[in-house]
Amino acid sequence: MTSRSCGNFFDLASGELSDVPPTPRSLPKVMTIPGIICDGNGGCDVDSDTPSSFSRERKIIVTNMLPLIAQKDSEAGIWRFSWDEDSLYLQMKDGFLPETEVIYVGSLKIEIEANDQEEIAQRLLDEFNCVPTFLPPDVQKKFYYGFCKQQLWPLFHYMLPMCPDHGDRFDRQLWQAYVSANKIFADKVMEIANPEDDFIWIHDYHLMVLPTFLRKRYNRVKLGFFLHSPFPSSEIYRTLTVRDEILKGLLNADLIGFHTFDYARHFLSCCGRMLGLDYESKRGHIGLDYFGRTVYIKILPVGIHIGRLESVLNLQSTCNKVKELQEQFNGKKVILGVDDMDIFKGISLKLLAFEQLLLQHRELQGKLVLVQIVNPARSSEKDVQEVKKETYVAAKRINEIYGCGDYVPVILIDRPAPRYEKTAYYAVAECCIVNAVRDGMNLVPYKYVVCRQGSSIMDQVTGTKPESPRTGTLVVSEFIGCSPSLSGAIRVNPWDIDAVAEAMNMAITMPDAEKQLRHEKHYRYVSSHNIAYWARSFMQDLERACKDHYNKRCWGIGLGLGFRVVSLSPSFRKLSVDRIVSSYERTHRRAIFLDYDGTVVSQSSMVKSPSPEVVDMLNALSNDSNNTVFIVSGRGRDPLSEWLAPCENLGLAAEHGYFLRWNKTSEWESLAADLDWKEIVEPIMKHYMEATDGSSMEVKESALVWHHRDADPDFGSCQAKELLVHLENVLANEPAVVQRGQHIVEVKPHGVTKGLVARKVLSMLATDGEAPDLVMCIGDDRSDEDMFESIANAVSNSSCTAVPEIFACTVGQKPSKAKYYLDDTADVVRMLRGLAMASNPKPQRSSQFKVAFDSVF
């Protein structure tokens, strides 16, 4: 599927959104570097190629909503603001150094009149270091309630819009609003950011294309992104119409964080299947190579602020509530659930399991209570209303069947419960169950563990001795983000009603000693992996991910949301046709080495024979008596001989140099090698070929190659890794080497490389007194890197007084040992065309070839 692209970012605000009012007047200009005033658009009069000498410890946190509470004084008619102490974005400041300046960028939860926005913005910046975005109401509605909540959120929780009752179909106007909102966020960030020194940390799925806007503004911006929701498997994600734009947006960050390895694995799989990107683990860190930049992946679940929770635990109101609950549930055991009212939290499944528990264990009737606290629904959509109705019906049925007298089996608290009340329930519950069918993280189990640990004040209230063991059991769904970190919890499949019922029974009936061990294990983890640890760890990895920003040259390519930054060595530059032709004309002895597939013939072409134009150019170059020209390929000698038969004076090196021929009339030379190992390798490769649909095996005279380009990307890559290890083990004592290339695993004799061809040819020319004063080598694959290295070494170790000019050139902008690059095969042909024109004798010009020549000059 190809997503519709846009010529530039602003095209996405076309249609209804073309009249979106501009972002309110910029905040007063901010001095971010001494003596340099930034304009309102984030531009500064400073050289962007070098870091500033002034470095401030400053973090910019970008979230959909600011961590603020807003209330309007009805009498005075003014807005009053305060920190939202429960916001993890505020609590994460504990992970930074005390002197770190933290600036927040995001929206307010209330709408501010346009004529008040500038004053409010200045107040929030002065008093809270917060920069509000003030999205236009129409954009806000379509952005948040439209694209985020109706399309991204359901999809990321594995709900496809198969019909109107199960999510909305893709709506391009909502997507345009999403992009417009992200653009407004980018404007605000750049108003206050010093991108050379500040670290910018973006949060959650509302802002997944924001990295693209910021990276386009400043190529070396230091960007981190953390996704707080699940990331779906590739089978689900690939149904999204704008899948590529969002993936590329995330890849414009330097570090991408996920709660679990599953979420990260799904993201990496999507990058591989949809963008063709490979990842590897580098010293314990997962990295994706994206146009020369390494995008790192961080896997770490968020924690909680223990001090904040303990302070609530010690409140008098909490203590009073705990006493009240102890009296209310005297002689009974409490199982607690705290969930939002939405379709993914599994509340009704939890009630069905509790009903099954009471049915199967009649001895628990009258002694066991399920308290379900329901947080207010974040929307009033039809699906939420259906879940709410189903929950009430189930609770009513259970209470009617199993309730009696003052015993109410299910207590449903469907109102905004104050913080102290929830804390009190955490403290008295013997078991906490989180039964969500899909959830990003869910911190309820962590809060429960801390509250069950108690405090000295709470111990006095409950009459617990300080040395008494602390207990608490958790039943958690396999499908929530915190599940992997709670190794002492009882994990359940929420859809399996019987298993959940049995898990609840196990949780309340297990021996106290086991409850204590499980609780202690959980508390050690929760207390050490708190919110400060999470923030500090992420920021340390972000700093490491950005440390090489100024060691490479960067430039942006691509239009619209396809924008990305190419980051390569400072000495790496595009090979100019004029430059190479100029050197070619003033030199007298030249050695030219050309790869075949992906260099003179397109890798994607179904026709692998060279075009007549390429044949004419190769003839022109090889017929020049001052030139020695070689095609150096991994292909066998028979197809190369057939395809290049018209080139009488062209040298051929087949199978990576195992076979070598100086021209058409000379005999093929071959390396002396023991090939008995082929009898071992061939049946193994055949087995992997049969086991991997879409793979194939190529039998060469000196090598065997297993191809998996047409296999499933994940399975093919997995099988390639396994085959590599398998062959290395069985060939440990054989004169063969196993190499993994681009969608291949190849076994060939030891010492056979393209680099050997280059060394041999250059050595022969020097021996004959014809040492070249120009060496050119062009290739696109890993095997060509051996040629680049060998040529550089051969020249540096040469005893010749005159050092030849070297033009080592890779095809494609990617990390390489070559000093130059050409964009693609068409670029290579264009450059060869220029050299052919400068050759002597001149090539024969067919009318088609003459037109091609004339297009160069």
Side-chain angles (χ1 to χ4, degrees), residues 40 49 112 135 138 332 555 568 572 603 617 623 641 679 817 843:
D49 290 332
I112 302 292
L135 299 181
D138 184 49
K332 299 181 180 68
W555 63 94
L568 299 169
F572 194 65
Q603 193 78 259
M617 288 186 296
N623 289 341
S641 298
E679 297 179 3
K817 295 174 184 175

Side-chain angles (χ1 to χ4, degrees), residues 320-372:
N320 294 339
K321 187 64 179 179
V322 167
K323 289 181 181 178
E324 177 188 328
L325 294 177
Q326 284 183 321
E327 294 176 3
Q328 179 182 348
F329 298 119
N330 185 30
K332 299 181 180 68
K333 293 183 177 181
V334 177
I335 297 178
L336 177 66
V338 181
D339 302 279
D340 295 342
M341 180 62 79
D342 71 48
I343 58 176
F344 298 112
K345 292 303 187 287
I347 299 176
S348 58
L349 293 175
K350 185 189 305 180
L351 293 175
L352 291 176
F354 185 71
E355 183 178 22
Q356 185 76 355
L357 176 62
L358 294 180
L359 175 65
Q360 292 178 344
H361 298 274
R362 298 183 180 277
E363 70 277 7
L364 296 177
Q365 296 176 16
K367 299 179 181 178
L368 186 63
V369 176
L370 172 63
V371 177
Q372 178 62 56

Side-chain angles (χ1 to χ4, degrees), residues 625-779:
S625 59
N626 293 324
N627 294 345
T628 300
V629 184
F630 267 85
I631 291 289
V632 187
S633 173
R635 287 192 176 272
R637 55 179 172 173
D638 290 339
L640 288 178
S641 298
E642 178 185 347
W643 293 336
L644 298 168
C647 303
E648 300 280 347
N649 296 313
L650 180 67
L652 298 180
E655 299 191 16
H656 297 295
Y658 184 81
F659 295 105
L660 188 141
R661 189 180 75 183
W662 287 83
N663 53 53
K664 187 176 180 179
T665 59
S666 64
E667 295 294 324
W668 283 99
E669 303 172 14
S670 64
L671 298 175
D674 179 5
L675 301 179
D676 291 344
W677 49 264
K678 292 179 70 176
E679 297 179 3
I680 302 173
V681 173
E682 190 166 354
I684 296 174
M685 279 195 177
K686 280 185 177 178
H687 171 72
Y688 278 83
M689 180 183 70
E690 293 168 359
T692 312
D693 187 40
S695 68
S696 60
M697 186 176 72
E698 179 184 3
V699 179
K700 300 180 182 179
E701 292 181 72
S702 68
L704 292 169
V705 188
W706 184 74
H707 298 264
H708 63 94
R709 179 181 295 276
D710 297 326
D712 177 90
D714 287 341
F715 186 51
S717 179
C718 178
Q719 290 288 79
K721 292 176 184 177
E722 179 63 28
L723 176 59
L724 185 72
V725 173
H726 189 164
L727 291 174
E728 284 176 340
N729 288 336
V730 299
L731 298 176
N733 298 316
E734 299 291 336
V737 61
V738 187
Q739 290 183 331
R740 188 176 176 191
Q742 195 170 13
H743 304 294
I744 66 166
V745 174
E746 182 173 22
V747 185
K748 58 185 181 180
H750 266 303
V752 177
T753 67
K754 290 185 178 182
L756 181 63
V757 176
R759 287 198 302 272
K760 184 173 182 179
V761 171
L762 292 176
S763 176
M764 289 288 290
L765 292 175
T767 301
D768 294 342
E770 297 180 344
D773 44 11
L774 182 147
V775 179
M776 184 179 76
C777 178
I778 307 177

Side-chain angles (χ1 to χ4, degrees), residues 502-533:
E502 187 54 40
M504 287 192 283
N505 180 57
M506 176 182 174
I508 61 176
T509 58
M510 71 172 59
D512 287 345
E514 185 176 352
K515 290 181 181 179
Q516 178 186 349
L517 289 174
R518 289 174 182 260
H519 170 77
E520 289 175 350
K521 189 175 188 179
H522 289 155
Y523 186 74
R524 281 195 301 271
Y525 178 85
V526 173
S527 59
S528 59
H529 291 74
N530 54 25
I531 184 73
Y533 172 85

Side-chain angles (χ1 to χ4, degrees), residues 85-101:
E85 300 289 346
D86 290 330
S87 171
L88 70 88
Y89 303 120
L90 179 64
Q91 296 170 356
M92 62 190 282
K93 290 172 65 175
D94 285 6
F96 307 145
L97 296 173
E99 61 271 19
T100 301
E101 180 184 3

Side-chain angles (χ1 to χ4, degrees), residues 776-790:
M776 184 179 76
C777 178
I778 307 177
D780 75 310
D781 196 53
R782 293 181 188 176
S783 60
D784 300 307
E785 298 294 319
D786 292 330
M787 275 201 294
F788 303 149
E789 187 176 20
S790 291

